[in-house]
Structure formats: C-alpha cells, structure tokens
RNA sequence: CGGGGCGUAGCGCAGCCCGGUAGCGCAUCUGCUUUGGGAGCAGAGGGUCGCAGGUUCAAAUCCUGUCGCCCCGACCA
C-alpha cells in the first residue's frame, strides 16, 4: 500500500513531492520553476477561493482586475519597493517572433520602447490607477481585491510553496486615516487567521515582521506563520500597512472634510497557492494526502462492490439512492462506479488523494441495510447503519475537521520551545527544529547574526506575547518579550 | 551562481563502462476469468534514444559542443 510514497522520516522533501504527484495535485512544467496545477489541485484552490472570496465580500470588499503588464517606470517610483522586487522581475522586451532556421527567433525590430514588467505584485499599477479614482474623502475607503497570477523570478522553487508563477489574491485598499488603514490591515489578518484555522485546520501564530522581513514598501507587515511537520515554519499569509508610501510615490491625494489636501493611507494583503503546500505539509501522512473536509473537493466517496450482474444491479441501485440522498444534503460526494478498477485499487487511490470519508457498499451491506465507513485521517473502518447515514456523515465531517485541527495544534505546541540562552537556542534548532521563543534586543545586527549562524529567522513578533521582559540571548540587552524564531520555507 | 543528479514509449526506469536488430515495469487496446485493500492469463499497439557536430563499415553507447529539467545551498510569499 502506498508504496510509491517515500516516508516522511526517510526524506521529507521527497515525501512532499511524492504526495503532490500521487494525489495528482500538480506536476512540473517544461519551464523551470513553473507547475501545471491538475484538476485535483485546482479544485482545492477553487474551494479556498470560494471561501476567502466570501470572507472578503463579508468585510466589504469588491473584486476588480488590473493588467498583468506594468510599465517598467512604475517600478521605480517607490524606492523600497523596487529594491525588494528588482532582482526577481520577468521583463518583456519584444513583441514579435520571426521564422528562422531554428524555428522562430525574437524579431529584433519589435523591441519595445518601454519594457514591460510582468507583475510580481500589483501595488504600482493599482496606485497609479487609484490616483484617478480618488479626489475626495467621499471616495474613500476603496476596498478592492483581485484574483490573479503573479511572477517572481525565484532562484529556487518548490511545487506550491514557491513557484515562479503563482496564483493568489491581493487586496489593495485606500483610506482617509492612518487608524482606519491599520484597522483594515488587522481585520484582514484576522480573516486569514480564521481561514487558516477554521477551514484549512492549520494553526497559525499571528504577529508582525521585523524590518528586514517586512514587505518591500510597507510600514508594517502582519503575518500568519504555520509550523510544518518537519519543524520548518511557513509564512502562510501577509497583511501590510503601507502607510502613505504608495500615495506619495504615485501622488494620490484627496481633499478631506476639513478642506485640506491629504495623502491617502494604504494597505495590501495576500495569500497564494502556497496555502495548498502548507495544507499538505500540515496534515498529510505516509499514505498520501489528508484533506480537511471543509476544503476537500470530494468529501465522501462511495465505492460499490459486486461479483456478478445480480449483485451489480442491487448494489448499484442502493448506491445510486445513497448518492442522491447525500448529495441532496449538500455534501460533496462522488460515486466511483468505474468498472476498469477494482475496489482495492479505488480504496488505495482515494486514500492517496485524501478524500476524508469513504463508503464501501457490497452485497452484504445491501442485504443488511448497512455500509462500511472509513475515515482517511485515522484509517478507521466501521460497519454502520444505512439509516441515519447522512446525519452521521455530517457529524463525522465536522469531527474530522476539528480532529485535524486539534492534532495539528498539538503538534505545533510540541514543536514550540522556549530558549533561555543562545546555546540552548542552537541546540533546539538542530535537534528538534520548530518554533523557538527567545529574547532579542530588537536590533537588525543581532537578527542578522542569528540568521547567519543558525539559519533561523524571526518569524514574527507575536501579537499575543507569551512571557515577560528579559535579556537578549546574544547581547544581554533589554527585550520586552520573546520573539518567535524558526527555520523556514 | 556553487554542489549533486538526470534527459531512452504516456509515466517510471534498464541498456552506455566493453559500439553490432532498442528493452523492462506500470499505463493503453482486445479477449476470457476476476471484483470486501492497488487482480490473473493470453495477445497487441506505441520510441527520429534532448539537440548539433565528430570518430567508425556501424553510435542510445565513444569524443566535442549545446539546450533543458530536477534535487541540495545562497535570495524570497
């Protein structure tokens, strides 16, 4: 069983690749660092989108779409922003191909007057547009989200976790006051926290980034950080308070109710297909993918079993009715009646694909008015009554959802340590990994030194600090509360 | 950019050292038997061996060059 998947203990990174492949989520494309997202993977993304989109709309946002191409000159307008993204931009220089001996070549006569940048993020083009949208305080706030793809020319890539092109959503809001913008930033962080924990069943720590880890062009970057099974942290989402940096860069002003002209306050926030990678590494096991029911494309699968035409007729009818009844109850169900595969093969396949619940129905069950019910997360099987099955499924799906969260939460706790000195800090990182709380003197020099020596970065300054003031483990200077360190993806 | 690996059938690989009719597993197609944890048997289809040169009677194999991808690090969501 599941012999195609390398065990986590043996090679975690190979295990991850094996799960992605065997669950048919995605595959490498011919282009370095890019992926083909297959139907199973895309269905997950669609479910994430659907839920997040609703949450954005419930908090007053509307969707819009801005172009993928950005004039090169836009990137130079916000100094820190360029600095951050300059090294990883795809640049369009030509517009035409011509036939040649080799097939096709770039037509040198089609060189663009101004090169275009494929968006690595859309602050620039959006703030250039907002200048035209905003004149008065009555035009504010602007609460826009867009679902899009972006490109960052990364050196090192991993399916879902870091690809050169990825899908995401980016919210871009404009406000009349600093307070309102900060409130928005924090509100969206809370949306992300709630989505991660309540839907992905992935516990996260909320916090703010240090200056060196901050988004290029932000005044403050809030984040959710999750802990993966191998002890490495994953930045799962960010919400940025941009201050007036982009308003200044793109000259976006408004006349306030007091008659004075003021610069607009901004936020931006995003999560990406990286969440899929985080979800895989949070729940899955050596048998393959494990999915939280709330996001699983298929929540329940029915596998019929028969030996001859008589049995087939009886089992099929039983399954069809079951299917209709469950579907009517709003559960995402599929009936796997494919005849080219045997039940055993289907069991294994649905297991590796992470379907939370499996119902097997054979002649025995039909005559006893029962079904066999199997949970993906625990691999437990039971024979249960056909009557009242829908209610049972609903309860079980919620149970699995909360059990997955509990298990991940417990694991994260177990993987969270506190280091009282630098020696202990290094020892924890090397032997156990995970999150490590430690005191830090709030200087970039110390942060840099720790990173260089241990490869651990400050994941965040937690919004809900644990413990009391202390002394920096490196310099012995004052530290108001410990910050969260980890090696990360 | 450094280190490692790899390009041979849809997928995964062997063959290369030592040149001589291109193979294996899975998948696919046909038939029969099977079906409660990845079925069996019999038969069949499918490949310009990444690309370009060179050596040779003869190149997947040797030589030169070149392109690309993956993995491990430095950069990052």
């Amino acid at each position: 069983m599941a012999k195609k998947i390398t065990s986590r203990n043996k090679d975690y990174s190979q295990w991850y690749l094996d799960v992605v492949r065997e669950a048919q989520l995605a595959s490498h494309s011919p282009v370095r660092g890019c992926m083909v997202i297959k139907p199973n993977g895309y269905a997950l993304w669609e479910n994430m989108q659907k839920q997040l989109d609703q949450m954005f709309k419930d908090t007053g946002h509307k969707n819009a779409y801005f172009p993928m191409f950005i004039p090169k000159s836009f990137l130079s307008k916000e100094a820190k922003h360029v600095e951050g993204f300059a090294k990883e931009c795809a640049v369009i220089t030509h517009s035409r191909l011509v036939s040649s001996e080799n097939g096709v070549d770039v037509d040198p006569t089609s060189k663009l007057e101004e090169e275009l940048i494929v968006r690595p993020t859309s602050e620039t083009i959006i703030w250039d547009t907002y200048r035209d949208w905003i004149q008065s305080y009555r035009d504010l706030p602007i609460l826009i989200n867009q679902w899009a793809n972006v490109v960052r020319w990364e050196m090192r890539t991993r399916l879902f976790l870091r690809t050169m092109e990825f899908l995401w959503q980016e919210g871009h809001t404009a406000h009349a006051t600093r307070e309102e913008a900060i409130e928005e930033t924090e509100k969206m962080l809370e949306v992300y926290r709630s989505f991660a924990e309540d839907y992905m069943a992935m516990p996260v720590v909320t916090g703010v980034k240090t200056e060196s880890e901050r988004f290029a062009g932000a005044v403050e970057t809030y984040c959710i950080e999750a802990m993966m099974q191998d002890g490495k942290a994953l930045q799962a989402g960010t919400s940025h308070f941009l201050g007036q940096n982009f308003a200044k860069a793109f000259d976006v002003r408004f006349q306030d109710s007091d008659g004075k002209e003021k610069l607009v306050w901004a936020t931006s926030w995003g999560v990406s297909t990286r969440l899929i990678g985080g979800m895989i590494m949070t729940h899955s096991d050596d048998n393959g993918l494990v999915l939280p029911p709330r996001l699983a494309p298929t929540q329940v699968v029915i596998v019929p079993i028969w030996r001859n035409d008589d049995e087939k007729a009886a089992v099929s009818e039983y399954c069809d009715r079951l299917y209709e009844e469950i579907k009517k109850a709003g559960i995402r169900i599929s009936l796997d009646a494919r005849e080219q595969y045997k039940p055993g093969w289907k069991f294994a396949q649905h297991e590796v694909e992470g379907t939370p619940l499996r119902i097997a129905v054979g002649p025995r069950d039909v005559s006893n008015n029962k079904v066999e019910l199997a949970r993906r997360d625990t691999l437990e099987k039971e024979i249960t009554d056909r009557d009242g099955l829908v209610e049972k499924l609903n309860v079980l799906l919620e149970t699995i959802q909360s059990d997955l969260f509990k298990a991940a939460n417990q694991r994260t706790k177990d993987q969270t340590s506190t280091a009282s000195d630098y020696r202990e800090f290094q020892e924890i990182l090397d032997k156990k990994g995970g999150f490590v709380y430690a005191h830090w003197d709030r200087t970039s020099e110390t942060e840099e030194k720790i990173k260089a020596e241990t490869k651990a970065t400050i994941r965040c300054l937690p919004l809900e600090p644990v413990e009391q003031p202390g002394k920096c483990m490196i310099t012995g200077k004052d530290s108001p509360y410990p910050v969260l360190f980890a090696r990360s993806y």
Side-chain angles (χ1 to χ4, degrees):
Chain A
M1 243 200 311
K3 46 199 164 217
K4 301 162 198 158
I5 296 179
T6 308
S7 81
R8 284 165 291 183
N9 290 336
K10 194 178 165 207
D11 184 345
Y12 191 81
S13 142
Q14 186 60 48
W15 164 81
Y16 176 77
L17 289 167
D18 290 349
V19 171
V20 170
R21 185 189 64 246
E22 291 304 317
Q24 307 203 59
L25 298 175
S27 61
H28 290 285
S29 83
V31 179
R32 179 184 79 83
C34 295
M35 63 176 169
V36 174
I37 305 177
K38 297 164 93 171
N40 283 355
Y42 202 78
L44 269 176
W45 181 236
E46 284 179 312
N47 284 348
M48 288 180 163
Q49 276 186 306
K50 204 160 142 194
Q51 181 55 36
L52 283 166
D53 201 63
Q54 190 58 53
M55 292 168 103
F56 298 156
K57 285 175 179 156
D58 288 346
T59 43
H61 302 85
K62 289 181 175 172
N63 286 329
Y65 188 80
F66 295 83
M68 170 200 265
F69 303 136
I70 299 176
K72 188 180 72 178
S73 59
F74 282 22
L75 265 295
S76 64
K77 296 198 174 178
E78 211 291 325
K80 288 254 167 59
H81 192 64
V82 205
E83 203 182 303
F85 287 103
K87 288 171 289 181
E88 49 183 33
C89 284
V91 184
I92 299 171
T93 55
H94 292 77
S95 66
R96 238 188 345 259
L97 298 174
V98 284
S99 309
S100 74
E101 302 143 8
N102 315 322
V104 283
D105 280 326
V106 173
D107 183 349
T109 68
S110 71
K111 189 163 166 36
L112 302 185
E113 294 229 340
E114 179 178 358
E115 288 97 341
L116 297 171
I117 310 302
V118 179
R119 61 181 167 215
T121 179
S122 303
E123 275 77 7
T124 58
I125 188 122
I126 285 178
W127 279 85
D128 183 73
T129 309
Y130 281 0
R131 185 177 53 243
D132 295 339
W133 290 7
I134 299 167
Q135 278 86 38
S136 147
Y137 71 97
R138 295 181 209 272
D139 297 324
L140 297 170
I142 292 182
L143 305 172
I144 294 285
N145 174 66
Q146 88 165 345
W147 291 96
N149 59 341
V150 287
V151 169
R152 296 181 188 176
W153 213 262
E154 301 286 353
M155 297 173 184
R156 181 93 168 71
T157 58
R158 270 167 174 287
L159 290 174
F160 290 113
L161 297 176
R162 184 173 299 105
T163 47
M164 294 224 294
E165 179 195 15
F166 56 93
L167 307 183
W168 76 344
Q169 58 70 215
E170 44 182 329
H172 294 274
T173 67
H175 307 265
T177 67
R178 174 190 168 87
E179 293 66 36
E180 190 185 303
I182 291 175
E183 189 188 325
E184 165 79 4
T185 313
E186 292 175 349
K187 181 194 289 176
M188 299 323 286
L189 185 78
E190 171 54 20
V191 165
Y192 289 157
R193 186 209 59 75
S194 147
F195 177 76
E197 299 197 331
D198 301 341
Y199 288 84
M200 297 172 64
M202 180 175 78
V204 293
V205 175
T206 55
V208 296
K209 289 292 188 186
T210 61
E211 188 182 351
S212 71
E213 299 278 329
R214 204 173 280 159
F215 176 75
V219 173
E220 192 83 272
T221 288
Y222 293 67
C223 62
I224 53 173
E225 293 283 327
M227 180 46 61
M228 304 294 104
Q229 296 181 48
D230 64 342
K232 286 167 84 174
L234 183 75
Q235 178 173 313
T238 46
S239 182
H240 315 291
F241 170 56
L242 302 174
Q244 295 173 309
N245 292 343
F246 284 89
K248 271 179 214 151
F250 288 88
D251 194 30
V252 187
R253 300 159 189 279
F254 70 103
Q255 194 170 15
D256 209 346
S257 52
D258 59 9
K260 290 181 182 155
E261 189 179 63
K262 297 174 184 173
L263 284 166
V264 175
W265 297 87
T267 84
S268 71
W269 28 273
V271 293
S272 70
T273 36
R274 164 178 274 194
L275 289 179
I276 295 173
M279 200 161 70
I280 296 166
M281 291 198 297
T282 297
H283 304 300
S284 300
D285 61 23
D286 289 352
N287 296 316
L289 193 62
V290 175
L291 292 174
R294 289 194 183 170
L295 293 175
T298 299
Q299 294 172 311
V300 182
V301 64
I302 303 175
V303 176
I305 300 158
W306 60 70
R307 276 171 307 220
N308 53 50
D309 284 351
D310 286 348
E311 288 181 356
K312 180 181 169 184
V315 168
S316 294
E317 194 198 339
Y318 192 87
C319 287
D320 286 347
R321 284 212 199 134
L322 202 51
Y323 172 84
E324 290 303 332
E325 189 182 328
I326 295 169
K327 192 185 168 82
K328 213 169 283 173
I331 293 171
R332 294 191 289 275
I333 181 142
S334 84
L335 172 56
D336 189 354
R338 293 176 293 178
E339 301 206 21
Q340 67 266 43
Y341 300 114
K342 291 177 59 174
W345 188 92
K346 293 178 185 174
F347 293 167
Q349 192 58 30
H350 293 295
E351 195 164 289
V352 82
E353 290 182 15
T355 309
L357 283 174
R358 183 190 71 229
I359 294 171
V361 174
R364 285 206 301 267
D365 305 304
V366 174
S367 39
N368 299 335
N369 205 34
K370 303 268 185 186
V371 300
E372 183 195 81
L373 192 54
R375 275 175 71 155
R376 171 61 184 92
D377 61 332
T378 59
L379 301 173
E380 289 164 357
K381 292 194 279 197
E382 61 167 325
I383 306 293
T384 189
D385 288 336
R386 161 77 175 81
D387 300 328
L389 185 60
V390 169
E391 292 71 31
K392 179 153 192 171
L393 293 177
N394 273 321
V395 170
L396 255 182
L397 288 171
E398 277 310 301
T399 304
I400 293 170
Q401 180 78 31
S402 71
D403 283 0
L404 284 179
F405 180 78
K406 276 183 216 154
N409 201 231
Q410 186 57 50
R411 175 177 56 69
T412 302
K413 267 188 190 150
D414 295 343
Q415 286 171 304
T416 302
S417 316
T418 301
S420 44
D421 59 59
Y422 194 41
R423 178 183 294 269
E424 189 188 4
F425 179 83
Q426 288 168 303
E427 210 175 278
I428 294 168
L429 282 174
D430 289 337
K431 288 191 178 150
K432 183 180 169 191
F435 284 135
V436 187
Y437 281 101
H439 281 291
W440 164 59
D441 65 11
R442 306 305 192 263
T443 68
S444 299
E445 292 72 37
T446 305
E447 180 184 15
E448 186 50 45
K449 178 182 156 75
I450 295 169
K451 183 179 176 182
E453 290 177 358
T454 67
K455 289 179 188 164
T457 51
I458 298 173
R459 301 318 303 155
C460 67
L461 283 67
L463 290 185
E464 294 166 12
V466 294
E467 259 189 59
Q468 297 302 311
K471 304 289 181 189
C472 172
M473 61 178 170
I474 303 289
T475 61
K477 290 186 201 157
D478 287 343
S479 158
Y481 54 87
V483 301
L484 190 62
F485 288 88
R487 289 182 182 144
S488 74
Y489 278 98

